[in-house]
Amino acid sequence: MKIFVVGATGAIGRPLIAQLLAQGHEVAALTRSLEKAQTLVEQGVELAIADVFDADAVKAAITRVQPEVVIEQLTSLPKTYTNESMSAASALNTRIRREGGANVLAAAQAAGVRRYLRQSIAFWAIPGAGLADEETPLAFDASPAVAADAHIVTEIERRLLETPNLEGIALRYGFLYGPGTWFAPDGDVAQQVRQQQFPIVGNGEGVWSWIHIEDAAIATVAAAERGNPGIYLITDDRPLTVREWLSAYAQWLNAPPPPQISVEEALRIGGADAVYYGTQMRGAWNAKAKRELNFQPRSLEWLVESAVARAS
């Protein structure tokens, strides 16, 4: 198939391009500058130059390429994972997903694209017992940043899934780890953990769902090839409490054990969102992706290596 990727130089975009090419697809990618896209050219990717905020340029690019499928991976996230950096990046990240994504979607529809996939988020389900599935309501009444993004995710997904004459697929990824992410050994969270700046909040019962960026790319290619329209949770098989994953992560990094702070202290230092992430976040169930996409995600790498170390 001819597949047009938007956001090709991001964390998922790079392994996604490699997977698409490995599967024999003809790939084009949207980029704002040739400088960032040199690697894509060397891989044999067709380039389309346009700013996602320029609706006419995006429409002209997609119309010229005439892809069967568009995969949108638009985000604008900082290299550091702190309250300050995330807050500073929020406005542009929201704009690029809302306005930039709307321009790409409208251009795809006008060009007669058959199928459209876009990145979404797996961990905004309403708190509760057990794991969330694709039908679980999102956390509109959660802490401020979580609730705001749950509304944005809902708006963006609904816009896609209600677009006529287009097979829309929303891929809700878990927390991304692997090369180029915050959780890579050279990433920002790893540095925070080494410096004991990433604590367990309260009882550490918030449940996080994970996905390696290469597994995210593999699942995305499978959805592009044979997924049914709708929503898929793209996560690994073992959601973990913060207490579990963070302790194992610190051990894997040869870092000191993470400190533990009270909910009250977390509220004072990081606000209600930090408490939500640490104590209320709900894990996701990937059964639909495994059933329909033959999705077989790897185990979280620091759990595997920790288990091997204990066994030896």
Side-chain angles (χ1 to χ4, degrees), residues 124-127 132-140 150 154 172 282:
W124 291 157
I126 189 170
D133 64 16
E134 287 80 1
E135 303 302 321
T136 304
L138 300 191
F140 299 135
T154 300
R172 292 181 179 174
R282 186 172 182 178

Side-chain angles (χ1 to χ4, degrees), residues 143-156:
S143 56
V146 173
D149 210 56
H151 281 286
I152 292 168
V153 164
T154 300
E155 171 194 330
I156 291 170

Side-chain angles (χ1 to χ4, degrees), residues 5-22 27 29 36-40 43 45 71 73 75 77 79 119 173 176-182 184 186 212-218 220-221:
V5 179
V6 183
T9 57
I12 298 178
R14 291 187 294 272
L16 173 60
I17 293 290
Q19 286 289 333
L20 288 168
L21 292 170
V27 182
K36 292 182 69 175
Q38 186 58 38
T39 302
L40 297 175
Q43 290 176 287
V45 173
I71 303 176
Q73 298 282 358
T75 58
L77 297 172
K79 291 188 179 296
Q119 179 181 149
Y173 301 123
L176 297 169
Y177 73 96
T181 70
W182 293 316
D186 60 350
H212 193 283
I213 56 168
E214 291 178 5
D215 289 340
I218 290 168
T220 302
V221 174

Side-chain angles (χ1 to χ4, degrees), residues 26-285:
E26 186 179 352
V27 182
L30 186 73
T31 182
R32 284 187 300 175
S33 71
L34 286 172
E35 181 183 350
K36 292 182 69 175
Q38 186 58 38
T39 302
L40 297 175
V41 173
E42 293 168 359
Q43 290 176 287
V45 173
E46 178 183 352
L47 294 186
I49 309 299
D51 189 316
V52 293
F53 297 126
D54 185 337
D56 290 338
V58 172
K59 182 177 179 180
I62 294 180
T63 299
R64 178 180 61 81
V65 172
Q66 285 292 298
E68 294 177 64
V69 178
V70 169
I71 303 176
E72 180 201 326
Q73 298 282 358
L74 287 175
T75 58
S76 180
L77 297 172
K79 291 188 179 296
T80 57
Y81 186 65
T82 66
N83 289 337
E84 295 76 18
S85 61
M86 294 297 287
S87 295
S90 176
L92 178 57
N93 190 42
T94 297
R95 184 185 175 215
I96 200 168
R97 290 188 295 165
R98 272 183 168 153
E99 183 183 334
N103 289 341
V104 177
L105 180 60
Q109 186 184 29
V113 169
R114 176 175 61 85
R115 171 166 291 201
Y116 192 108
L117 291 75
R118 68 149 294 116
Q119 179 181 149
S120 193
I121 297 172
F123 38 85
W124 291 157
I126 189 170
L131 299 177
D133 64 16
E134 287 80 1
E135 303 302 321
T136 304
L138 300 191
F140 299 135
D141 295 324
S143 56
V146 173
D149 210 56
H151 281 286
I152 292 168
V153 164
T154 300
E155 171 194 330
I156 291 170
E157 289 184 350
R158 182 177 295 131
R159 180 178 67 198
L160 169 60
L161 299 178
E162 293 179 357
T163 298
N165 304 317
L166 198 66
E167 297 173 1
I169 298 176
L171 299 169
R172 292 181 179 174
Y173 301 123
F175 284 94
L176 297 169
Y177 73 96
T181 70
W182 293 316
F183 295 91
D186 60 350
D188 186 64
V189 172
Q191 299 306 323
Q192 293 182 45
V193 171
R194 291 187 181 100
Q195 296 165 13
Q196 293 192 292
Q197 295 175 347
F198 202 107
I200 296 170
V201 175
N203 59 13
E205 288 296 320
V207 178
W208 291 36
S209 290
W210 297 90
I211 189 68
H212 193 283
I213 56 168
E214 291 178 5
D215 289 340
I218 290 168
T220 302
V221 174
E225 292 173 338
R226 59 184 182 275
N228 294 310
I231 297 168
Y232 287 91
L233 289 167
I234 306 300
T235 64
D236 70 15
D237 293 336
R238 190 179 173 189
L240 293 166
T241 65
V242 174
R243 184 179 64 250
E244 293 173 301
W245 76 254
L246 185 51
S247 298
Y249 184 56
Q251 182 180 12
W252 180 63
L253 294 170
N254 293 316
Q260 189 161 0
I261 64 174
S262 67
V263 168
E264 291 74 21
E265 189 174 359
L267 281 170
R268 179 175 59 81
I269 297 171
D273 292 304
V275 173
Y276 182 91
Y277 274 70
T279 65
Q280 292 182 276
M281 186 164 282
R282 186 172 182 178
W285 190 31

